[in-house]
Amino acid sequence: MSAHTTEPLQFVRDPVSDEDLARANHYALISRLFHAAPDDALLDMMAASGDWLIDEDAPAVEAVRMAEAWNALCGACSAMDAEAAGLEFDALFGGVGRPAVTVFGSFYLAGFVNEKPLAALRGDLAELGFARAQGEALPEDHIAAVCDVMRLLLTDASRTAADRAALQDRFFARHLQPWYGGLCDAVGAAAGANFYRRVSQYARCFFEVEKAALSIDP
């Protein structure tokens, strides 16, 4: 069960491909890192995973940058501990009043939180059959929640592969592509960002790969 959304009951209609499972794992990790600071177990796991082979001759520059960003993030995990990560997370995304970095889509799309983009997102979530999980106080346009929805759309075996692809593309284009750059820019420019600068670089590179794939889909 997701921390952000309530998953509908499912029956298997079309198995999920290995590629989509891998994409879903990236969305899940980005969601986790922006929802809360990583604990020591997650940091250790990622520190041991930074061995993505970089193919400098790959035709898609986005894929090369993604591999570089992943390895840089995993390297940062090896030098980070949970206490330091928690302090940085709170300094960037917490605090009283407006945080150093805002993580809600409506802020980047409309200039304020809880604006019309959030209402539009809620309407689309209702059509998809998703609802905010009981006890979750964060608005649905939090970057963690939006990424979690993408994870669910990628792994919903009750839909056909064609339907999953169409819903993913539409949701990404409407509710993530227009503002992820603003968020990543904000994290990159934040004075207190160290570990999370690497997180935002990884997130940006992954989203750029997703955007590139969307642009070549028929």
Side-chain angles (χ1 to χ4, degrees):
M1 184 65 68
S2 163
H4 311 291
T5 54
T6 299
E7 302 179 45
L9 294 175
Q10 297 184 352
F11 60 94
V12 175
R13 177 173 293 175
D14 218 345
V16 179
S17 68
D18 290 342
E19 178 184 354
D20 281 355
L21 286 174
R23 291 170 60 209
N25 285 336
H26 283 295
Y27 277 112
L29 178 59
I30 295 170
S31 175
R32 168 65 181 82
L33 289 170
F34 277 103
H35 187 256
D39 56 19
D40 283 324
L42 179 56
L43 289 169
D44 289 345
M45 181 188 72
M46 294 183 64
S49 302
D51 55 358
W52 193 323
L53 180 63
I54 299 175
D55 182 2
E56 299 291 353
D57 297 322
V61 66
E62 294 88 357
V64 174
R65 291 172 179 166
M66 172 72 181
E68 292 173 341
W70 171 259
N71 289 340
L73 174 58
C74 292
C77 288
S78 67
M80 179 63 61
D81 60 61
E83 181 179 3
L87 290 172
E88 182 175 334
F89 184 92
D90 290 342
L92 291 174
F93 310 118
V96 179
R98 178 174 167 178
V101 177
T102 302
V103 291
F104 301 102
S106 59
F107 175 81
Y108 297 95
L109 297 173
F112 300 94
V113 298
N114 297 319
E115 288 291 325
K116 288 182 180 179
L118 176 57
L121 171 61
R122 285 172 172 165
D124 283 351
L125 291 175
E127 288 185 10
L128 291 168
F130 296 143
R132 187 164 54 183
Q134 186 175 5
E136 177 57 62
L138 294 174
E140 294 88 340
D141 62 341
H142 191 296
I143 184 63
V146 174
C147 286
D148 205 39
V149 172
M150 284 297 297
R151 175 187 68 83
L152 295 175
L153 292 176
L154 278 158
T155 57
D156 183 1
S158 70
R159 306 181 194 270
T160 66
D163 285 346
R164 284 199 301 269
L167 290 172
Q168 295 159 32
D169 290 353
R170 180 176 182 270
F171 191 87
F172 180 88
R174 293 192 64 181
H175 301 298
L176 189 50
Q177 182 176 331
W179 67 276
Y180 73 76
L183 169 62
C184 293
D185 288 344
V187 175
N194 180 16
F195 174 76
Y196 269 89
R197 185 170 286 112
R198 294 296 190 185
V199 173
S200 73
Q201 289 169 346
Y202 154 65
R204 185 199 295 273
C205 289
F206 174 67
F207 295 146
E208 289 294 314
V209 170
E210 291 285 276
K211 183 174 73 172
L214 178 61
S215 69
I216 64 175
D217 283 345

